[in-house]
Amino acid sequence: MIEGTDQTEQLRKLNGEIAATKEKLKLEEQRCIAIEERYKGRIKVLEEEIRKGQAERRKLHNEVQELRGNVRVFARIRPFLPGDGVDDDARP
C-alpha cells in the first residue's frame, strides 16, 4: 500500500502544479489581451496620421505640378511671326 500512497501523493502534487500552471497561463493571456488592446489603439492613431500625411503629400504634389505648369506657360516663348514687325535676326 505504500506504493499506492506515494502515487496518490505524486498525483496530488502534479495536479497542484497543473492548476498553478493553468492559473499562470490565464494571467498571461489576460496580460497579452490588455497589451493587444493598448497597441490596437496606438495602431489606429498611427494609421490615421499616415492617412493625413498621404493626403497632405498628394495635395502638395498637385500644387507643385500646377505651379510647374504655370511657370511653363508664363515662360513660354513662341517664334516671331511674319506679322510681328520684327527683323529675322532679332532676338526674342
Side-chain angles (χ1 to χ4, degrees), residues 69-81 84 90-92:
N70 291 344
V71 168
R72 257 189 235 111
V73 168
F74 183 76
R76 183 174 23 200
I77 299 174
R78 66 170 176 79
F80 291 112
L81 299 175
D84 286 343
R91 298 196 77 185

Side-chain angles (χ1 to χ4, degrees), residues 37-51:
E37 290 300 317
R38 186 175 43 188
Y39 284 121
K40 279 183 181 179
R42 180 71 177 138
I43 288 170
K44 285 181 182 181
V45 168
L46 293 173
E47 285 175 343
E48 183 60 31
E49 285 181 24
I50 288 171
R51 277 192 286 282

Side-chain angles (χ1 to χ4, degrees), residues 10-26:
Q10 285 178 344
L11 281 175
R12 284 187 193 144
K13 182 179 177 184
L14 290 174
N15 283 335
E17 289 178 13
I18 289 171
T21 304
K22 284 182 179 180
E23 187 63 31
K24 285 180 184 177
L25 179 62
K26 187 186 290 186

Side-chain angles (χ1 to χ4, degrees), residues 19-37:
T21 304
K22 284 182 179 180
E23 187 63 31
K24 285 180 184 177
L25 179 62
K26 187 186 290 186
L27 291 173
E28 282 299 313
E29 285 177 344
Q30 291 172 351
R31 189 178 70 81
C32 288
I33 289 171
I35 290 171
E36 182 181 11
E37 290 300 317

